[in-house]
Amino acid sequence: MAAQLAQVTCRGRRTRLASSRRNEKRSHRSRSLRQTTTEDTEVCCAAQTPQAVPGVHRLAQLPAVEQQCSVNLVLEAEALVTEVDDRVVRGLAAVLERLVSGAKAPQGAAQALTKFHGVRAPGIGIGEYVMRIRKFFHCSVECFVLALVYIDRMTKKHPDIVVGHLTCHRIVLCSMMLSAKFQDDVFYKNTFYGKVGGLALAEVNALEKHMLQMMDYRLHVMPEEFELYRSLLCKAAEGAGAC
């Protein structure tokens, strides 16, 4: 009996000893795993910290500098474009004023009435009228150049059409409408153009069709011709200076 109790006690001691050793091994593995995880986290964080990479603070400043340079270049370009736009618009107004002041009927013939003739001259001058068109049409500056091209084409093909006090407003309004529709991707309806120009919709539609017929529907302008007329407008606005 005593021998059996001794064997049971011995087995229990061995079992507790083995269990204790297994627990120590598990604890050691857990400590090792936590330590490894902590080291990996520290390394990862250190790699993501900007101070860990030399020169990061200098690189971070470059986009701001480049952005400022880009902003300055854009502002300078916009200022230059605005200056050129002003010259072109003022040039068209100046050219029309000269045409009106020197308007006369073709030699040997009385001035014939056309569809562009009004009963009386409008209360607004042609220069102010051009500026009003610029304010409300919201079209590109190229449209003002094309408008002069269209007016020149029509008057050369039909010498009986004279740009005078009774015709200049309707002619420039119609030419600006055609140029805006041909040149720009976005334009307004004739109802809006009529309100800007002070004409009824029916008259605007009739004048637009008539001018197209007078030009044989030739609206395309070659680059060389465009540059020629643009230079003329700039010279008209600034005298003999180039644009």
Side-chain angles (χ1 to χ4, degrees):
M1 188 65 178
Q4 292 178 353
L5 290 175
Q7 292 179 356
V8 171
T9 302
C10 184
R11 290 176 183 174
R13 290 178 179 175
R14 287 198 298 270
T15 301
R16 288 195 297 271
L17 181 59
S19 177
S20 177
R21 290 178 178 175
R22 286 196 298 270
N23 291 336
E24 290 179 359
K25 291 181 179 180
R26 290 175 182 174
S27 178
H28 179 71
R29 290 176 181 175
S30 298
R31 288 196 300 271
S32 299
L33 180 60
R34 286 195 299 270
Q35 184 177 2
T36 303
T37 303
T38 302
E39 292 176 353
D40 292 342
T41 303
E42 292 176 354
V43 171
C44 182
C45 293
Q48 295 178 354
T49 303
Q51 288 78 2
V53 182
V56 167
H57 66 285
R58 293 193 298 272
L59 295 176
Q61 295 175 358
L62 289 180
V65 175
E66 293 177 355
Q67 183 179 6
Q68 185 62 38
C69 292
S70 300
V71 170
N72 292 337
L73 291 176
V74 170
L75 292 177
E76 292 177 1
E78 289 180 350
L80 180 60
V81 170
T82 302
E83 182 181 358
V84 174
D85 291 357
D86 290 339
R87 290 181 182 180
V88 170
V89 177
R90 286 187 285 107
L92 180 59
V95 169
L96 292 175
E97 287 174 348
R98 292 176 186 176
L99 291 175
V100 169
S101 61
K104 59 181 180 178
Q107 187 176 4
Q111 184 174 351
L113 296 179
T114 66
K115 292 185 178 182
F116 295 104
H117 273 80
V119 178
R120 58 181 178 272
I124 181 175
I126 187 60
E128 296 178 8
Y129 196 72
V130 171
M131 295 304 172
R132 175 178 172 83
I133 289 176
R134 182 193 185 187
K135 179 179 179 181
F136 292 104
F137 267 39
H138 301 111
C139 59
S140 61
V141 68
E142 289 79 9
C143 295
F144 293 88
V145 180
L146 296 183
L148 181 60
V149 175
Y150 296 162
I151 293 173
D152 198 32
R153 285 180 180 178
M154 183 179 65
T155 54
K156 285 180 178 179
K157 187 174 179 63
H158 302 275
D160 57 311
I161 299 179
V162 179
V163 182
H165 293 281
L166 300 179
T167 60
C168 60
H169 296 77
R170 287 173 171 81
I171 288 177
V172 70
L173 177 67
C174 193
S175 62
M176 285 298 304
M177 285 171 45
L178 294 178
S179 62
K181 292 181 179 182
F182 182 78
Q183 173 67 25
D184 294 347
D185 295 330
V186 180
F187 51 85
Y188 296 100
K189 295 181 179 180
N190 284 4
T191 305
F192 176 80
Y193 291 136
K195 291 180 179 179
V196 174
L199 300 177
L201 177 61
E203 186 175 5
V204 171
N205 293 338
L207 290 176
E208 181 181 30
K209 181 180 179 180
H210 182 63
M211 191 168 189
L212 283 170
Q213 293 172 346
M214 293 295 98
M215 294 191 300
D216 294 330
Y217 296 88
R218 291 179 55 243
L219 298 179
H220 180 69
V221 178
M222 296 298 293
E224 298 80 5
E225 186 179 13
F226 176 87
E227 184 60 28
L228 173 62
Y229 280 84
R230 187 192 71 85
S231 300
L232 291 176
L233 290 179
C234 291
K235 291 178 180 180
E238 299 296 337
C243 181

